[in-house]
C-alpha cells in the first residue's frame, strides 16, 4: 500500500546513475536514512541525496513527490524493521509489551526521525501491518472494536511520545546528560528539609529521575487495560 505522495509506477524510469547504480525506492530510502543519521548532518535535501546516489537530483522526483514523502517512506521502513521477526502470542499483555518495546527501541536507534514517527501517519505497508497487528492483539484479548481502536491509539501514542522524549535525551551531549544526572543527585537530593520537605523525604530515590519512565509507564498502561477487561467480565 503506497502513501498518497508516491509517484505511480508507470511514471518511473529505471535508469542507472552516473555510478551505474539503478535507482529504486528502497535504494533512495536507504541513502536518505544514511544522510539523516550521519554525524553533523543537517536537513535532508534532494540535492544532497542526488550527490550521495550519484544521480541528478531530479531523478529522485520520479520516485517521490518531495522530501516529505521521502521522510514518510523512511519512517515506514523503520516501522517495518522494528517488527521484523515479531509474532504475537496467546499472552496478549506480553505481546503488546514486546510490540511497544520494539517500537520504542527502533525510534532510539534513529532519533532524528523521532518527531516524524511520533506525529505523522505514513499510510505505508509497514504501518498498515503494525496497526493491524496492534489492534488485532486487543481484539483477540476480548476488547470490542471501538475499545480496541481507542486503546491502540492510547498505547501507540504513549509509546511514541516516550520514544521521542528519550530520543531527545539521547541526542544530548555527554556533558548535558551528565549535568542532568548530577542535578538530581547533588542538587535536588540535597535541598533543605525546611524549604522542600517532600523532596527531602524522597531524596534517596531522586537520582532515579534521570532515567526513562517508559518501562514503568508501559506496564502501568497495560495493567489499566487488563483491569478494564476484567471489570467488563471478558478477561
Amino acid at each position: 500500500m503506497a502513501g498518497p505522495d508516491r509517484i505511480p509506477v508507470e511514471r518511473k524510469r529505471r535508469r542507472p546513475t552516473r555510478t551505474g547504480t539503478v535507482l529504486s525506492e528502497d535504494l533512495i530510502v536507504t541513502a536518505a536514512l544514511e544522510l539523516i543519521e550521519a554525524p553533523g548532518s543537517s536537513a535532508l535535501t534532494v540535492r544532497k541525496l542526488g550527490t550521495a546516489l550519484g544521480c541528478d537530483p531530479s531523478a529522485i522526483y520520479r520516485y517521490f513527490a518531495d522530501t516529505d514523502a521521502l521522510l514518510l517512506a523512511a519512517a515506514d521502513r523503520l516501522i517495518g524493521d522494528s517488527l521484523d521477526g515479531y509474532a504475537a502470542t496467546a499472552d496478549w499483555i506480553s505481546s503488546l509489551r514486546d510490540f511497544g518495546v520494539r517500537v520504542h527501541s527502533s525510534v532510539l536507534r534513529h532519533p532524528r526521525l523521532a518527531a516524524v514517527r511520533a506525529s505523522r501517519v505514513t499510510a505505508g505497508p509497514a504501518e498498515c501491518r503494525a496497526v493491524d497487528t496492534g489492534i488485532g492483539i486487543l481484539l483477540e484479548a476480548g476488547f470490542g472494536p471501538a475499545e480496541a481502536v481507542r486503546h491502540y491509539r492510547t498505547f501507540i501514542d504513549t509509546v511514541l511520545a516516550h520514544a521521542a522524549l528519550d530520543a531527545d535525551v539521547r541526542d544530548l551531549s555527554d556533558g548535558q546528560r551528565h549535568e542532568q544526572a548530577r542535578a538530581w543527585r547533588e542538587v535536588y537530593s540535597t535541598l533543605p528539609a525546611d524549604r522542600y520537605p517532600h523532596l527531602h523525604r524522597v531524596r534517596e530515590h531522586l537520582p532515579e529521575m534521570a532515567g526513562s519512565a517508559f518501562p514503568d509507564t508501559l506496564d502501568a498502561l497495560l495493567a489499566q487495560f487488563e483491569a478494564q477487561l476484567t471489570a467488563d467480565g471478558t478477561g
Side-chain angles (χ1 to χ4, degrees):
M1 177 177 177
D5 293 325
R6 297 293 180 84
I7 303 301
V9 173
E10 59 269 18
R11 288 174 54 190
K12 300 175 186 175
R13 302 175 64 188
R14 295 177 62 82
R15 296 176 177 176
T17 66
R18 291 189 296 271
T19 60
T21 302
V22 177
L23 289 180
S24 67
E25 285 191 3
D26 283 345
L27 184 65
I28 294 171
V29 168
T30 297
L33 285 170
E34 290 175 354
L35 284 175
I36 291 168
E37 298 299 347
S41 177
S42 55
L44 176 69
T45 67
V46 172
R47 183 176 296 277
K48 290 180 182 178
L49 194 53
T51 299
L53 289 166
C55 69
D56 188 285
S58 64
I60 295 167
Y61 291 117
R62 300 190 187 108
Y63 297 84
F64 298 97
D66 49 35
T67 53
D68 189 63
L70 178 53
L71 286 173
L72 292 180
D76 200 66
R77 161 83 69 83
L78 299 182
I79 294 171
D81 291 346
S82 71
L83 294 179
D84 277 351
Y86 175 80
T89 68
D91 183 343
W92 69 271
I93 295 177
S94 177
S95 295
L96 211 53
R97 181 184 290 107
D98 184 23
F99 185 102
V101 169
R102 282 170 172 265
V103 172
H104 181 269
S105 298
S106 172
V107 173
L108 294 191
R109 287 194 297 272
H110 301 276
R112 293 182 181 176
L113 278 174
V116 175
R117 299 274 301 272
S119 64
R120 302 292 300 278
V121 174
T122 73
E127 185 176 76
C128 290
R129 175 193 164 206
V131 176
D132 184 73
T133 298
I135 290 178
I137 292 171
L138 290 163
L139 288 171
E140 289 297 318
F143 291 104
E147 291 175 319
V149 171
R150 186 173 68 253
H151 287 334
Y152 180 76
R153 181 192 62 192
T154 300
F155 166 79
I156 199 63
D157 282 359
T158 299
V159 171
L160 289 172
H162 273 276
L165 173 60
D166 290 344
D168 282 346
V169 172
R170 180 168 290 195
D171 206 35
L172 296 175
S173 68
D174 290 342
Q176 289 172 322
R177 286 196 297 272
H178 174 77
E179 184 59 26
Q180 291 195 159
R182 187 198 66 79
W184 289 113
R185 186 177 63 253
E186 299 179 13
V187 178
Y188 285 93
S189 297
T190 59
L191 292 173
D194 57 337
R195 294 183 60 188
Y196 305 95
H198 306 304
L199 288 175
H200 182 77
R201 182 178 177 183
V202 300
R203 61 190 181 281
E204 294 179 0
H205 305 284
L206 288 175
E208 297 175 14
M209 293 287 287
S212 172
F214 172 67
D216 288 342
T217 302
L218 181 59
D219 283 342
L221 183 61
L222 295 177
Q224 179 182 342
F225 289 172
E226 184 180 28
Q228 180 180 331
L229 200 61
T230 300
D232 292 343
T234 54

